[in-house]
Amino acid sequence: SGLLFTPLVDTPVITTWHGDLAADACSPERRRLLESFRRVPTTAISRSQRASAAVHLHFVGTVHNGITIERFPFTATPGHSLCWLGRITEKKGILEAIAVARRLRLPLKIGGKIDTVDRDFFRQRVRHLIDGRRIHYLGELTHRQKVKLLRHARCLLNPITWNEPFGLVMAEAMACGTPVVAFPRGAAPEIVAHGQTGYLVSSVAQMAAAVRQVGQIHRAACRRRVERLFSATKMADGYERVYERVLKFRRK
Protein backbone atom coordinates (compact mmCIF):
# COMPACT_ATOMS: atom_id res chain seq x y z
CA SER A 1 0.00 0.00 0.00
CA GLY A 2 1.13 3.52 -0.79
CA LEU A 3 0.12 4.44 2.74
CA LEU A 4 3.25 2.77 4.09
CA PHE A 5 5.49 5.09 2.09
CA THR A 6 3.84 8.38 3.01
CA PRO A 7 6.48 9.28 5.66
CA LEU A 8 9.21 8.96 3.00
CA VAL A 9 7.97 11.60 0.56
CA ASP A 10 7.40 15.36 0.77
CA THR A 11 4.43 15.28 -1.60
CA PRO A 12 1.13 15.33 0.31
CA VAL A 13 -0.61 11.95 0.19
CA ILE A 14 -4.31 11.37 0.79
CA THR A 15 -5.57 7.88 1.61
CA THR A 16 -9.09 6.66 0.89
CA TRP A 17 -10.31 3.68 2.88
CA HIS A 18 -12.99 1.65 1.12
CA GLY A 19 -13.49 -1.00 3.77
CA ASP A 20 -15.31 -1.15 7.08
CA LEU A 21 -13.44 0.85 9.74
CA ALA A 22 -15.73 -0.02 12.64
CA ALA A 23 -14.24 -1.59 15.74
CA ASP A 24 -15.98 -4.94 15.26
CA ALA A 25 -14.60 -5.20 11.71
CA CYS A 26 -11.00 -4.26 12.46
CA SER A 27 -8.51 -7.02 13.08
CA PRO A 28 -5.76 -6.20 15.58
CA GLU A 29 -3.38 -5.80 12.62
CA ARG A 30 -5.64 -3.32 10.83
CA ARG A 31 -6.22 -1.35 14.01
CA ARG A 32 -2.47 -1.06 14.58
CA LEU A 33 -2.08 0.12 10.99
CA LEU A 34 -4.78 2.75 11.44
CA GLU A 35 -3.21 3.88 14.71
CA SER A 36 0.22 4.17 13.09
CA PHE A 37 -1.06 6.36 10.25
CA ARG A 38 -3.84 8.24 12.02
CA ARG A 39 -2.31 11.62 11.09
CA VAL A 40 -2.22 10.91 7.35
CA PRO A 41 -4.87 12.95 5.47
CA THR A 42 -7.76 10.55 4.83
CA THR A 43 -11.05 10.65 2.93
CA ALA A 44 -14.12 8.59 3.76
CA ILE A 45 -16.53 7.23 1.18
CA SER A 46 -19.58 7.96 3.35
CA ARG A 47 -20.51 9.85 6.47
CA SER A 48 -21.44 6.52 8.04
CA GLN A 49 -17.98 5.06 7.45
CA ARG A 50 -16.40 8.17 8.92
CA ALA A 51 -18.62 8.21 12.00
CA SER A 52 -18.09 4.52 12.77
CA ALA A 53 -14.28 4.49 12.47
CA ALA A 54 -12.67 2.69 15.41
CA VAL A 55 -9.66 5.02 15.31
CA HIS A 56 -9.81 8.82 15.25
CA LEU A 57 -8.29 9.37 11.80
CA HIS A 58 -7.34 12.66 10.17
CA PHE A 59 -10.35 12.91 7.88
CA VAL A 60 -10.08 15.78 5.42
CA GLY A 61 -13.27 15.07 3.51
CA THR A 62 -16.05 12.67 2.59
CA VAL A 63 -16.44 11.76 -1.08
CA HIS A 64 -19.17 9.35 -2.10
CA ASN A 65 -18.33 6.70 -4.67
CA GLY A 66 -19.48 7.38 -8.21
CA ILE A 67 -20.41 5.32 -11.26
CA THR A 68 -20.11 5.84 -14.99
CA ILE A 69 -23.78 6.51 -15.53
CA GLU A 70 -23.63 5.91 -19.27
CA ARG A 71 -22.98 2.25 -18.56
CA PHE A 72 -26.38 1.95 -16.83
CA PRO A 73 -29.13 2.80 -19.35
CA PHE A 74 -32.36 4.18 -17.93
CA THR A 75 -35.56 2.14 -18.25
CA ALA A 76 -38.88 3.85 -17.60
CA THR A 77 -41.01 0.70 -17.38
CA PRO A 78 -40.54 -1.62 -14.39
CA GLY A 79 -40.53 -5.38 -14.63
CA HIS A 80 -42.37 -7.85 -12.43
CA SER A 81 -39.49 -9.56 -10.60
CA LEU A 82 -37.64 -8.41 -7.53
CA CYS A 83 -33.86 -8.54 -7.67
CA TRP A 84 -30.95 -8.92 -5.28
CA LEU A 85 -27.36 -8.37 -6.36
CA GLY A 86 -24.14 -8.70 -4.44
CA ARG A 87 -21.65 -11.03 -2.86
CA ILE A 88 -23.59 -13.95 -1.37
CA THR A 89 -22.74 -13.68 2.29
CA GLU A 90 -24.98 -13.50 5.33
CA LYS A 91 -24.51 -9.82 6.19
CA LYS A 92 -25.61 -8.77 2.68
CA GLY A 93 -29.16 -9.86 3.51
CA ILE A 94 -29.74 -12.62 0.97
CA LEU A 95 -31.88 -14.64 3.41
CA GLU A 96 -34.01 -11.61 4.23
CA ALA A 97 -34.50 -10.87 0.52
CA ILE A 98 -35.68 -14.42 -0.10
CA ALA A 99 -38.06 -14.14 2.87
CA VAL A 100 -39.57 -10.97 1.38
CA ALA A 101 -40.09 -12.60 -2.02
CA ARG A 102 -41.73 -15.65 -0.48
CA ARG A 103 -43.98 -13.48 1.70
CA LEU A 104 -45.14 -11.53 -1.37
CA ARG A 105 -45.20 -14.55 -3.68
CA LEU A 106 -43.13 -12.62 -6.19
CA PRO A 107 -40.20 -13.91 -8.24
CA LEU A 108 -36.76 -12.96 -6.99
CA LYS A 109 -33.74 -13.02 -9.29
CA ILE A 110 -30.41 -13.30 -7.50
CA GLY A 111 -27.07 -12.39 -9.02
CA GLY A 112 -23.92 -12.82 -7.01
CA LYS A 113 -20.48 -14.22 -6.48
CA ILE A 114 -19.83 -16.87 -3.85
CA ASP A 115 -16.40 -16.48 -2.29
CA THR A 116 -14.63 -19.52 -0.85
CA VAL A 117 -15.25 -18.32 2.68
CA ASP A 118 -19.02 -18.21 2.02
CA ARG A 119 -19.48 -21.58 0.31
CA ASP A 120 -20.64 -23.33 3.46
CA PHE A 121 -23.14 -20.55 4.14
CA PHE A 122 -24.53 -20.93 0.62
CA ARG A 123 -24.72 -24.73 0.80
CA GLN A 124 -26.24 -24.88 4.27
CA ARG A 125 -28.50 -21.79 4.37
CA VAL A 126 -29.29 -20.62 0.85
CA ARG A 127 -29.16 -23.37 -1.77
CA HIS A 128 -32.25 -25.27 -0.59
CA LEU A 129 -34.31 -22.05 -0.85
CA ILE A 130 -33.59 -21.69 -4.58
CA ASP A 131 -36.45 -23.50 -6.27
CA GLY A 132 -36.13 -22.23 -9.85
CA ARG A 133 -39.78 -21.20 -9.83
CA ARG A 134 -39.94 -18.21 -7.50
CA ILE A 135 -36.35 -17.94 -6.28
CA HIS A 136 -33.82 -17.93 -9.12
CA TYR A 137 -30.03 -17.90 -8.75
CA LEU A 138 -28.34 -16.52 -11.87
CA GLY A 139 -24.75 -16.96 -10.72
CA GLU A 140 -22.00 -14.38 -10.91
CA LEU A 141 -22.95 -11.87 -13.60
CA THR A 142 -21.07 -9.96 -16.26
CA HIS A 143 -21.63 -6.22 -16.42
CA ARG A 144 -24.09 -6.64 -19.27
CA GLN A 145 -26.05 -9.28 -17.36
CA LYS A 146 -26.05 -7.14 -14.22
CA VAL A 147 -27.47 -4.15 -16.07
CA LYS A 148 -30.18 -6.32 -17.63
CA LEU A 149 -31.14 -7.62 -14.20
CA LEU A 150 -31.30 -4.14 -12.66
CA ARG A 151 -33.11 -2.45 -15.56
CA HIS A 152 -35.95 -4.95 -15.68
CA ALA A 153 -36.62 -5.33 -11.97
CA ARG A 154 -39.57 -3.99 -10.03
CA CYS A 155 -37.09 -2.95 -7.34
CA LEU A 156 -33.78 -3.90 -5.78
CA LEU A 157 -33.91 -5.47 -2.33
CA ASN A 158 -30.94 -4.57 -0.14
CA PRO A 159 -31.64 -5.75 3.42
CA ILE A 160 -28.05 -5.45 4.62
CA THR A 161 -27.42 -6.41 8.22
CA TRP A 162 -24.12 -4.56 8.60
CA ASN A 163 -22.91 -0.98 8.30
CA GLU A 164 -21.74 -1.19 4.70
CA PRO A 165 -19.42 1.76 3.98
CA PHE A 166 -21.14 2.56 0.68
CA GLY A 167 -23.07 0.10 -1.50
CA LEU A 168 -22.56 0.77 -5.21
CA VAL A 169 -25.35 -1.58 -6.22
CA MET A 170 -27.91 0.87 -4.88
CA ALA A 171 -26.56 3.68 -7.06
CA GLU A 172 -26.36 1.32 -10.05
CA ALA A 173 -29.98 0.25 -9.63
CA MET A 174 -31.23 3.82 -9.31
CA ALA A 175 -29.24 4.86 -12.37
CA CYS A 176 -31.30 2.32 -14.31
CA GLY A 177 -34.46 3.84 -12.83
CA THR A 178 -35.00 0.97 -10.40
CA PRO A 179 -36.09 1.91 -6.87
CA VAL A 180 -34.25 0.47 -3.88
CA VAL A 181 -35.82 -0.95 -0.74
CA ALA A 182 -33.11 -1.24 1.90
CA PHE A 183 -32.44 -1.58 5.58
CA PRO A 184 -31.12 1.78 6.92
CA ARG A 185 -27.66 0.47 7.76
CA GLY A 186 -24.32 1.98 6.82
CA ALA A 187 -24.51 4.45 3.95
CA ALA A 188 -27.96 3.37 2.73
CA PRO A 189 -29.66 6.53 4.12
CA GLU A 190 -27.10 8.64 2.24
CA ILE A 191 -27.84 6.90 -1.05
CA VAL A 192 -31.58 6.19 -0.98
CA ALA A 193 -33.97 9.12 -0.54
CA HIS A 194 -36.81 7.60 1.47
CA GLY A 195 -40.12 7.96 -0.34
CA GLN A 196 -38.45 9.46 -3.42
CA THR A 197 -36.07 6.85 -4.83
CA GLY A 198 -37.08 3.92 -2.66
CA TYR A 199 -37.76 3.09 0.95
CA LEU A 200 -35.69 2.56 4.10
CA VAL A 201 -37.25 -0.04 6.38
CA SER A 202 -36.23 -2.03 9.43
CA SER A 203 -37.68 -5.52 9.03
CA VAL A 204 -38.72 -8.15 6.52
CA ALA A 205 -42.38 -7.30 7.17
CA GLN A 206 -41.77 -3.61 6.55
CA MET A 207 -39.77 -4.41 3.41
CA ALA A 208 -42.63 -6.49 2.03
CA ALA A 209 -45.04 -3.62 2.73
CA ALA A 210 -42.69 -1.16 1.02
CA VAL A 211 -42.44 -3.34 -2.08
CA ARG A 212 -46.23 -3.13 -2.38
CA GLN A 213 -45.86 0.68 -2.50
CA VAL A 214 -42.87 0.84 -4.82
CA GLY A 215 -45.04 1.69 -7.82
CA GLN A 216 -45.44 5.16 -6.31
CA ILE A 217 -41.73 5.87 -6.89
CA HIS A 218 -40.94 7.74 -10.10
CA ARG A 219 -38.15 5.92 -11.87
CA ALA A 220 -36.92 9.18 -13.44
CA ALA A 221 -36.35 10.55 -9.92
CA CYS A 222 -34.05 7.59 -9.20
CA ARG A 223 -31.98 8.41 -12.27
CA ARG A 224 -31.80 12.11 -11.45
CA ARG A 225 -30.53 11.45 -7.94
CA VAL A 226 -27.63 9.39 -9.25
CA GLU A 227 -26.82 11.99 -11.90
CA ARG A 228 -26.75 14.69 -9.24
CA LEU A 229 -24.92 12.89 -6.44
CA PHE A 230 -23.24 9.65 -7.52
CA SER A 231 -21.73 10.14 -10.97
CA ALA A 232 -18.04 9.57 -11.68
CA THR A 233 -17.77 13.30 -12.45
CA LYS A 234 -19.28 14.23 -9.09
CA MET A 235 -16.81 11.91 -7.37
CA ALA A 236 -13.84 13.39 -9.27
CA ASP A 237 -14.95 16.91 -8.37
CA GLY A 238 -15.14 15.89 -4.74
CA TYR A 239 -11.60 14.55 -4.71
CA GLU A 240 -10.30 17.66 -6.46
CA ARG A 241 -11.80 19.81 -3.72
CA VAL A 242 -10.14 17.65 -1.07
CA TYR A 243 -6.77 17.85 -2.84
CA GLU A 244 -7.05 21.63 -3.11
CA ARG A 245 -7.94 21.89 0.58
CA VAL A 246 -4.92 19.84 1.64
CA LEU A 247 -2.55 21.76 -0.66
CA LYS A 248 -3.90 25.10 0.56
CA PHE A 249 -3.38 24.05 4.18
CA ARG A 250 0.16 22.87 3.40
CA ARG A 251 1.12 26.21 1.82
CA LYS A 252 0.20 28.14 4.97
Side-chain angles (χ1 to χ4, degrees):
S1 171
L3 177 66
L4 302 176
F5 296 95
T6 54
L8 307 178
V9 296
D10 293 329
T11 303
V13 176
I14 298 174
T15 296
T16 300
W17 290 93
H18 288 270
D20 190 350
L21 300 178
D24 58 358
C26 282
S27 65
E29 294 77 16
R30 173 176 281 195
R31 189 174 186 117
R32 284 196 295 269
L33 182 67
L34 293 173
E35 291 280 2
S36 299
F37 293 93
R38 63 190 307 165
R39 292 183 176 84
V40 172
T42 302
T43 58
I45 59 173
S46 67
R47 295 187 295 275
S48 170
Q49 183 200 39
R50 183 170 178 164
S52 66
V55 175
H56 183 68
L57 301 173
H58 178 35
F59 285 112
V60 293
T62 300
V63 181
H64 287 132
N65 286 335
I67 63 173
T68 305
I69 295 179
E70 295 76 16
R71 300 190 71 203
F72 296 88
F74 174 72
T75 301
T77 305
H80 178 62
S81 299
L82 309 175
C83 78
W84 183 96
L85 182 64
R87 181 167 54 88
I88 296 183
T89 189
E90 187 167 10
K91 66 183 180 181
K92 292 278 191 175
I94 180 66
L95 296 176
E96 289 77 3
I98 292 172
V100 169
R102 295 176 72 175
R103 180 182 289 244
L104 294 171
R105 298 184 179 180
L106 286 173
L108 172 68
K109 295 182 179 180
I110 297 167
K113 176 184 179 183
I114 306 172
D115 288 337
T116 302
V117 69
D118 294 309
R119 286 177 182 169
D120 285 344
F121 166 71
F122 178 77
R123 285 194 294 260
Q124 297 169 13
R125 306 283 303 281
V126 179
R127 187 164 58 188
H128 71 281
L129 300 174
I130 298 169
D131 56 21
R133 297 185 304 277
R134 180 167 294 136
I135 311 300
H136 306 266
Y137 175 50
L138 307 179
E140 185 175 359
L141 305 182
T142 65
H143 176 77
R144 184 174 181 178
Q145 292 169 330
K146 174 173 74 171
V147 170
K148 181 179 179 181
L149 173 65
L150 293 174
R151 289 181 67 189
H152 300 294
R154 174 184 297 211
C155 66
L156 170 76
L157 302 182
N158 195 42
I160 52 174
T161 61
W162 68 303
N163 291 325
E164 189 168 17
F166 192 74
L168 274 173
V169 68
M170 291 182 280
E172 293 170 345
M174 292 192 305
C176 295
T178 300
V180 176
V181 184
F183 285 176
R185 300 289 301 270
E190 300 172 48
I191 301 170
V192 179
H194 180 70
Q196 299 174 36
T197 67
Y199 298 103
L200 298 167
V201 298
S202 299
S203 68
V204 165
Q206 289 180 12
M207 182 165 281
V211 171
R212 294 189 182 100
Q213 303 298 318
V214 81
Q216 299 177 19
I217 301 295
H218 295 288
R219 291 174 71 91
C222 298
R223 176 75 173 197
R224 287 195 298 270
R225 181 168 176 83
V226 179
E227 290 173 338
R228 184 167 58 90
L229 297 176
F230 306 117
S231 69
T233 300
K234 179 73 174 180
M235 179 179 65
D237 289 344
Y239 278 111
E240 285 187 358
R241 286 193 295 271
V242 171
Y243 299 157
E244 290 167 358
R245 190 181 308 138
V246 170
L247 289 171
K248 182 178 180 180
F249 178 81
R250 184 179 176 87
R251 286 193 293 265
K252 290 183 178 180

